[in-house]
Amino acid sequence: MTQVATSPELDYSSETYKDAYSRINAIVIEGEQEAHDNYMDLAELLPELQAELQKLAKMEKRHMKGFQSCGKNLKVTPDMEFAKEYFGRLHQNFQDAMAEGKVVTCLLIQSLIIECFAIAAYNIYIPVADDFARKITQGVVKDEYMHLNFGEEWLKANFQESKAELQEANKANLPLVWKMLNQVQEDAEVLAMEKESLVEDFMIAYGEALGNIGFTTAEIMKMSAHGLIR
Ligand code: Y39
Ligand code: FE
Ligand code: FE
Ligand code: FE
């Protein structure tokens, strides 16, 4: 939000930039792959929405390929081992919920938390990206709003019976996003992405989503605060 529109001091071919990019790019590639897998899993939990969910999964696969080409363009090898570890706990929580058939928790993790994380990160990245990556990311972020909207619509239509599970899943998963943001803060700064802007954009998108689903302002504030504790 408070970010400058251009960063002429960024040297996309410097070793410092490429080293940080090898982790951030890997996180994004791994995130898109896992988003694909998550929507394929959700298609099993919601057979009546199978076609739509498979379409979302396909978009995530396309995003992954786009970001792989961004790394190649900068001659960076993504550190996929780091990225797998990075998503480990969130991934496990999704898997556990999936095994129990907890569709509400799965939707909160993928379609609300992870999509809002993507929306914040991509919006903050676009003004400071290289020309090639900027074009790719602009195309991707439009899709992410559609994915977030999918989750919002389903949860809004099933709000009363989902409410308690949403609050519980929020409590268990929002703190993980905080840890994840802290963990990449330094690498993000090398790319001229400020942590404060990431947090701000994430909370705006997430709070708005909770409001659209049906939570009151007081409930949203309570749920947001739970992210900061623990
Ligand atoms: O739905 C999606 O496409 C989500 C998988 C993508 C999330 C990517 C997470 C980006 C975090 C980057 C952190 C940069 C500071
Ligand atoms: Fe995506
Ligand atoms: Fe997405
Ligand atoms: Fe700074």
Side-chain angles (χ1 to χ4, degrees):
M1 298 264 116
T2 45
Q3 219 163 17
V4 288
T6 50
S7 296
E9 77 281 8
L10 279 179
D11 179 357
Y12 302 109
S13 60
S14 70
E15 283 312 313
T16 311
Y17 191 92
K18 287 169 68 176
D19 176 59
Y21 205 82
S22 72
R23 285 178 292 278
I24 303 274
N25 183 233
I27 288 169
V28 170
I29 292 167
E30 175 67 21
E32 296 292 354
Q33 173 68 56
E34 292 194 18
H36 165 275
D37 299 347
N38 291 348
Y39 282 117
M40 291 305 281
D41 282 348
L42 277 162
E44 268 176 55
L45 288 185
L46 297 168
E48 68 279 16
L49 295 170
Q50 191 169 40
E52 193 174 353
L53 284 159
Q54 284 171 346
K55 214 175 76 187
L56 301 191
K58 207 173 242 175
M59 292 163 96
E60 304 294 19
K61 208 43 175 224
R62 190 150 25 83
H63 298 168
M64 185 195 78
K65 287 176 183 154
F67 288 123
Q68 282 174 328
S69 70
C70 293
K72 279 201 190 92
N73 180 56
L74 293 180
K75 299 185 171 61
V76 167
T77 306
D79 186 345
M80 297 311 297
E81 203 176 312
F82 171 82
K84 244 198 153 61
E85 172 85 31
Y86 184 77
F87 277 103
R89 289 190 60 192
L90 211 48
H91 179 73
Q92 192 57 51
N93 285 359
F94 185 96
Q95 291 302 311
D96 292 348
M98 171 72 193
E100 291 176 65
K102 290 173 116 177
V103 63
V104 171
T105 299
C106 287
L107 280 173
L108 178 116
I109 293 174
Q110 175 57 46
S111 299
L112 300 189
I113 289 189
I114 299 182
E115 297 295 352
C116 287
F117 193 22
I119 285 167
Y122 299 162
N123 278 328
I124 296 302
Y125 177 54
I126 285 167
V128 294
D130 63 87
D131 290 340
F132 182 87
R134 182 183 310 117
K135 285 188 195 99
I136 302 259
T137 309
Q138 280 168 334
V140 169
V141 78
K142 287 188 195 127
D143 291 346
E144 308 302 3
Y145 283 105
M146 190 189 294
H147 302 169
L148 171 61
N149 187 256
F150 173 88
E152 285 175 354
E153 290 300 323
W154 194 95
L155 292 166
K156 185 180 172 180
N158 299 275
F159 183 60
Q160 280 315 322
E161 57 273 37
S162 304
K163 202 173 167 184
E165 189 178 328
L166 281 170
Q167 283 165 324
E168 189 192 308
N170 172 79
K171 217 171 188 170
N173 291 286
L174 196 56
L176 297 181
V177 177
W178 248 250
K179 285 193 193 124
M180 290 165 80
L181 271 167
N182 286 328
Q183 215 185 323
V184 286
Q185 176 175 7
E186 282 179 35
D187 287 330
E189 281 223 17
V190 173
L191 274 54
M193 298 165 71
E194 291 293 334
K195 188 196 161 191
E196 299 75 48
S197 316
L198 289 163
V199 169
E200 190 179 319
D201 276 27
F202 174 84
M203 285 318 300
I204 290 170
Y206 189 61
E208 246 176 47
L210 294 176
N212 292 339
I213 290 166
F215 285 105
T216 66
T217 304
E219 287 167 338
I220 294 168
M221 290 176 82
K222 225 177 204 168
M223 289 170 80
S224 303
H226 280 141
L228 304 167
I229 306 163
R230 297 201 293 184

